[in-house]
Amino acid sequence: MKNKFIDIVMWFVWVPLRKVLVSIPHPLTVYMLKALSFMLYLVDVERRKGVEEELRLLMGDRFNDREMKKVVKSSFYIFITKVYENLLFGNATEKHFDRVAAFEGMENLDEALKKKKGVVLLSFHFGSFFLFMLGLGLKGYKINAMTGTPIIDGSSYIKNKMFELRKKEEHGYPFNILSVGTSLKPLVKALRDNEIVGIVIDGRESTKQVAVPLFNRIGQFSPGIFNLCLKTGAQILPVAPILGPGSMKHRLIIEPALELTVTEDKEETLRINVEKFIGIFQKYIWDYPDHYAMTLYGIRKEAESGLIPPLFKD
């Protein structure tokens, strides 16, 4: 019964509600999304407990019970907001985008593009990370989103229908979709053409992983993009979407290009550079744990089902 209710909430956001939300003032949209997220928070007790457990494993005793409840509740809002924003990709205009988000650090991106080697915007599954692709595409940048093989939930008719709807709308996105497969040629070509590619480091597609500390745990992250950028000269820019407490507008932060380290040992080179990126991004997870909490829970559940490798070695 609980899962059916969650599916209905998701369908309601994806199908009838989005047509309404696009046409009403943004503050009212925010209030409606908060109401929906609170409903989901109340009903999905298993997810609520799972999110809290993942945060405590990652960050130890950083939060007392009251603080933890606030973070977990906020993680549901961040999650619902991301779901809503993702479904607008085929219909959003630059005017609509400017209502919900603003870039910071565009000079870092423009400087990296001047090198004519291509640019990788690297992030985690953190907050509304796809807004980078949407916004830059709407503003005229040639940008691609690198995605993994979608996980289809055969037990949920509604989720499958939502997936089909999203696939049909991809042709209207202001960015290209590069699917991770057996060949990296599309990625290499995009970088060779000095395009931008958005990638998440915590994707579970890669067969090779590097073990790097993430707060209290040892995470497993793919080093492949670092290896490729060392070979091609493409620039890696860490990026983070932030929706702070009380804010109605995302800050899309673009950090300066990562200075890659090269040693005589290839494996050590990759480990050092992965660790360098994780060190930069940890500050965002520490300051905004609600942006990553639902991802931690989702990866754990999919790993327990045998669909993907686990994120952590422990």
Side-chain angles (χ1 to χ4, degrees), residues 138-191:
L138 289 171
K139 293 182 182 299
Y141 288 81
K142 188 68 174 177
I143 185 164
N144 309 268
M146 195 161 185
T147 63
T149 304
I151 297 173
I152 307 299
D153 183 1
S155 65
S156 174
Y157 174 81
I158 290 179
K159 286 181 181 177
N160 290 339
K161 284 298 180 183
M162 287 163 48
F163 173 77
E164 291 175 9
L165 174 63
R166 185 168 179 176
K167 288 295 293 182
K168 288 179 180 178
E169 294 183 347
E170 281 184 3
H171 70 278
Y173 290 4
F175 55 89
N176 295 323
I177 301 292
L178 299 180
S179 296
V180 177
T182 56
S183 175
L184 291 177
K185 287 182 179 179
L187 171 60
V188 173
K189 183 181 184 304
L191 295 175

Side-chain angles (χ1 to χ4, degrees), residues 95-166:
K95 181 179 179 180
H96 174 78
F97 173 82
D98 289 339
R99 283 178 12 189
V100 303
F103 285 104
E104 299 179 17
M106 286 293 288
E107 67 279 4
N108 296 322
L109 175 60
D110 292 335
E111 187 64 28
L113 287 170
K114 289 179 183 178
K115 299 184 182 299
K116 304 295 183 181
K117 297 290 187 179
V119 173
V120 171
L121 300 184
L122 191 58
S123 186
F124 278 70
H125 283 91
F126 179 90
S128 296
F129 54 92
F130 265 102
L131 282 179
F132 284 94
M133 276 62 82
L134 176 65
L136 291 172
L138 289 171
K139 293 182 182 299
Y141 288 81
K142 188 68 174 177
I143 185 164
N144 309 268
M146 195 161 185
T147 63
T149 304
I151 297 173
I152 307 299
D153 183 1
S155 65
S156 174
Y157 174 81
I158 290 179
K159 286 181 181 177
N160 290 339
K161 284 298 180 183
M162 287 163 48
F163 173 77
E164 291 175 9
L165 174 63
R166 185 168 179 176

Side-chain angles (χ1 to χ4, degrees), residues 30-48:
V30 171
Y31 294 139
M32 293 180 70
L33 292 175
K34 284 185 175 180
L36 273 174
S37 68
F38 185 62
M39 288 172 57
L40 188 60
Y41 170 82
L42 292 176
V43 171
D44 198 344
V45 178
E46 179 184 343
R47 185 185 298 262
R48 195 167 73 220

Side-chain angles (χ1 to χ4, degrees), residues 9 22 51 79-80 90 99 113 136 198 203 250 260 266 274 302:
V9 170
V22 171
V51 168
F79 171 68
I80 287 294
R99 283 178 12 189
L113 287 170
L136 291 172
H250 296 269
L260 298 180
K266 179 181 176 181
V274 171
E302 290 177 358

